[in-house]
Amino acid sequence: MRPEKLLRQINFCKTIQKESTNPFDLNVKKFIETLNQYLKTWKSRDELLLDADAISELTKIIELQAKWIQDRSSSFYIDPVLIELKLKLLEPEQLADAFFQSWHPVIALDRLTPKRLKQGLDYWNALLPFNERDDDFPAALTAEESAFEIQDLIDMSILSRAEFDKALKAILKELEALGRTEYHDFIYSTEFEESIRRAYLTSYLVSEAKAGLDIDPLEDTVFIYPSDARAGEVRSIAIGISHEDWLGWKRSQKREQNGK
Amino acid sequence: MEEESKARAERKVKRAAQLLFFRQHRIPGVKGWELKKAVGDDYIDVIEVLNSSLEKLGMEVKRLTEGKERSDRYIIVLKDNLTEKASGARIDEIAMLSATLAYIITKQGKVSRKSVEEFLCAKFPKHRVLFALDRYIKQGYLGEEDKVLFIGWRTRAEVDRKTLLDLILSA
């Protein structure tokens, strides 16, 4: 049996979601009947995957139907046609006036503290000159733009605090065994993904003052060492890690091994 | 003992006020878990105390629900309507924003960018419409994903959507 009819209905579901048209335009009963017809004859994996796709799209439409009813029964609901007509008739001044009367602006200030200035200076000091970097100027990461915070990962049940603490302990133990060592030699491993993971964990060791960094901008070297110091002043240090850099490290490791 | 507890409570309110007034991230305000970390488990009580002080100045702490209580964002907004001009935006830009928001709200909170553009182009030149929409997205009044526009965090924080629709209908 050719699945054109079903494909058309799947596309129709997608259009409803994309265009925000009335989800009740889809006849759910008829859709299920069509699915039933196909399912009796379908056996191959591709056919069953299409069936799963159809069910998934149908579920989304049913969810939209529930939302649609909820929305219409809420105090927000006003006939869109009526609003559209009103919007076309109103003068810009009237529209602006309506906005100002329903507007309660956010009150927030930006402040620049000496501590933040110091962090900026540290970032500047650790940053290589533009002509010595391959990549574009790396944007200073903020909480909004950066990757997930550890707390976000825990909230999303991707990682547990116990797992994270265990991984931190393991990397700290490794550092303690090695003592003072070159930073990139410490974090880079045979796999790039693993190197990123190690760099991420190491950043926590440094911010918790369980590890210290010796940065020599003139020699362009960074050394890491285990530290017993208590967390004191917070510093922002940017150390670049790139795939190219990691490949270069791998090549140099190979050369060293061959040399031996 | 009582004085010590009073001083502690005052410190917490002061800390919460600093976190809420001064921007820590790109989006103003702080999340519930950040407040909990900074002022303790009783952060909701602390917010209530702060709210009673802010009320006298015509401000309030607004809670933007984002699913879990810990992820809710707390933000300070002006409680009363503004009596004086408080925005440098041009009147036609505000009119476009007002019309866009009303249009999106009545379409269940999301609508294709193309249909908003067509709707606004009936009254404004296309280049102005495109520029304005991009600006509203940047300002957080609108969000955009896959060429679909939806209500942004800033509209949820700042605009009383029901009042806006009522005012437009009664104008």
Side-chain angles (χ1 to χ4, degrees), chain A residues 70-210:
Chain A
Q70 208 176 19
D71 202 70
R72 267 165 170 59
S73 57
S74 77
S75 55
F76 272 133
Y77 182 70
I78 297 165
D79 188 356
V81 181
L82 187 64
I83 283 282
E84 253 183 73
L85 188 72
K86 266 293 203 180
L87 290 173
K88 281 175 185 165
L89 290 173
L90 291 179
E91 290 297 321
E93 289 77 11
Q94 288 173 296
L95 283 168
D97 191 47
F99 179 81
F100 280 125
Q101 285 191 57
S102 50
W103 189 44
H104 303 271
V106 165
I107 299 158
L109 297 166
D110 283 323
R111 61 176 167 179
L112 196 53
T113 58
K115 187 177 148 189
R116 195 74 178 138
L117 270 174
K118 176 78 170 60
Q119 286 175 345
L121 187 65
D122 289 339
Y123 181 86
W124 169 262
N125 287 337
L127 200 64
L128 284 174
F130 193 64
N131 56 7
E132 289 175 30
R133 293 198 309 266
D134 294 335
D135 53 348
D136 290 335
F137 187 80
L141 296 179
T142 67
E144 291 300 329
E145 292 163 341
S146 64
F148 291 110
E149 292 282 342
I150 183 69
Q151 191 57 46
D152 294 329
L153 296 176
I154 292 167
D155 282 348
M156 290 160 78
S157 309
I158 291 172
L159 191 71
S160 72
R161 169 62 69 183
E163 263 180 292
F164 185 70
D165 288 344
K166 199 176 158 192
L168 267 185
K169 270 182 197 161
I171 202 157
L172 179 62
K173 208 172 162 189
E174 218 180 297
L175 179 65
E176 282 169 348
L178 283 169
R180 190 174 186 273
T181 183
E182 210 282 324
Y183 174 79
H184 292 94
D185 285 344
F186 180 66
I187 61 148
Y188 281 154
S189 91
T190 48
E191 296 299 323
F192 185 60
E193 286 78 8
E194 174 62 11
S195 307
I196 297 294
R197 194 186 78 90
R198 291 175 64 85
Y200 186 69
L201 291 168
T202 307
S203 73
Y204 272 85
L205 292 185
V206 175
S207 40
E208 287 176 9
K210 287 174 182 161

Side-chain angles (χ1 to χ4, degrees), chain B residues 9-46:
Chain B
E10 274 173 7
R11 269 202 306 275
K12 283 185 176 187
V13 173
K14 217 181 266 182
R15 178 89 182 102
Q18 280 180 3
L19 280 171
L20 287 159
F21 270 117
F22 294 102
R23 198 135 67 151
Q24 324 269 317
H25 311 296
R26 188 173 59 84
I27 297 178
V30 279
K31 297 251 183 176
W33 67 265
E34 288 175 282
L35 277 169
K36 189 177 176 179
K37 198 174 159 190
V39 299
D41 288 342
D42 56 348
Y43 70 97
I44 291 178
D45 297 331
V46 175

Side-chain angles (χ1 to χ4, degrees), chain B residues 115-126:
Chain B
S115 68
V116 176
E117 284 173 9
E118 281 169 2
F119 179 70
L120 295 177
C121 282
K123 284 197 179 185
F124 296 97
K126 188 162 185 181

